[in-house]
Amino acid sequence: MEMTSVPPSSSFNNINWHLVQFCPDSGLEPAVAKCFVLPLKQEDMPPVKKGILERLNAGEVVIGDGGFVFALEKRGYVKAGPWTPEASVTHPEAVRQLHREFLRSGSNVMQTFTFYASDDKLENRGNDLRLSGQQINEAACDLAREVANEGDALVAGGVSQTPSYLSCKSEAEVKDTFKKQMDVFIRKNVDFLIAEYFEHVEEAEWAVHVLKSTGKPVAATLCIGPDGDLNSVSPGDCAVRLVKAGAQIVGVNCHFDPMTCVKTVELMKEGVERAGLKAHFMVQPLAYHTPDCNCQGFIDLPEFPFALEPRILTRWDMQQYARAAYNAGIRYIGGCCGFEPYHIRAVAEELASERGLLPAASEKHGMWGSGLDMHTKPWVRARARRDYWEKLKPASGRPLCPSMSCPDSWGVTKGHADLMQQKEATTEEQLKQLFQKAPAK
């Protein structure tokens, strides 16, 4: 059986073609059969997906995915500490499955699992993976595209802050780090690009400068709260700088709880409008309550990263978050660390009327607990109503725990000796010095 492609003549430019396989019993000579084509009917054509800006310009709600490093660490595929995404190469089945769960839960974007996939981060503090950034980024792009093609989802290639910047490397060196990742994203033809998780707006600007050179849409999110970045640049000023750098979508991700992040994006939106600029806005917060965090967010909490579970938001909290974000004029709404697929499903369910559909995962979830009407116990059946879950104040079940924590405020940022990148593993002496320093804080 043999096929070949035949470029249509200029007279057939408005016709879509597909090949007919050569069949020995067709009665056609092989030379004729090899060139035999039929017009492809419109209903047989794969749908052309709308781009990210096309969707946002139309006022559509775009739902992002959730947190990968935290979810895969809990599942045994990512190591806490370096938080690097080599699982895209070593355990692609785990990454693929998580993508699929977010897609099923309503995500419109499959973000490549390339968080901290820059070469400098992959070798930082003894993290000798023997895998290159190129290998990891390529594998992550392939996995995201595979799953995105199973639904109406786009692929976003992501870069994040670098040890090089914190170690005061030059602008050219930091930009070269981003460019290496960007080159892979372009070869893999991702749909748009995200510069995410930046504590300093300056580094985010540098990332946007690199990413916008591709001509693809660029989003930029900072991991900041209402107090601004670590140099005290306000959220409004940060947003203005990112838009002027070339980002069409700006916002925040990680470090803070949903309502804090929504408040921060509102401040960004006010700054952009005050400057007479235009942009779309996005928010991808933590799935943890963080009322006691300072400017560096949950990383300063003593519970980070292994005892955060008591702070997890419920699905009903997520519905409130989705509504608050939508009412604030934010149209790209997703999640970051701690966000599991059921959290994204809650966002999609809350905004189902605006989006015109429910996610596939809602087949197994009754709205506002309606599925509980089939429960064996009558007092559980009595909970099959919205007003019960909306009014519930969940107990923590931890009687010996305080309601708030005292964050570790070490006050170190870019250029501090403790943050300098080193390829060698952290020594026992270095750890001893940190252990001695910690109690005083």
Side-chain angles (χ1 to χ4, degrees), residues 20 78 82 96 101 173 229 231 233 240 248 335 340 345 410 425:
V20 174
V78 165
R96 182 186 296 111
E101 290 177 18
E173 290 173 296
D229 81 347
N231 288 327
V233 181
V240 168
Q248 295 110 323
E340 293 282 348
R345 179 180 63 188
W410 285 30

Side-chain angles (χ1 to χ4, degrees), residues 53 56-57 218-220 238-244 246-251 265 268-273 276-282 328-332:
L53 294 180
L56 293 173
N57 287 339
V218 175
C238 284
V240 168
R241 288 173 61 169
L242 292 175
V243 173
K244 287 183 176 179
Q248 295 110 323
I249 309 165
V250 296
V265 177
M268 298 178 95
K269 189 169 183 285
E270 290 172 5
V272 170
E273 292 171 350
L277 301 172
K278 291 184 178 181
H280 296 289
F281 297 91
M282 66 183 291
I330 303 168
R331 292 297 178 265
Y332 188 139

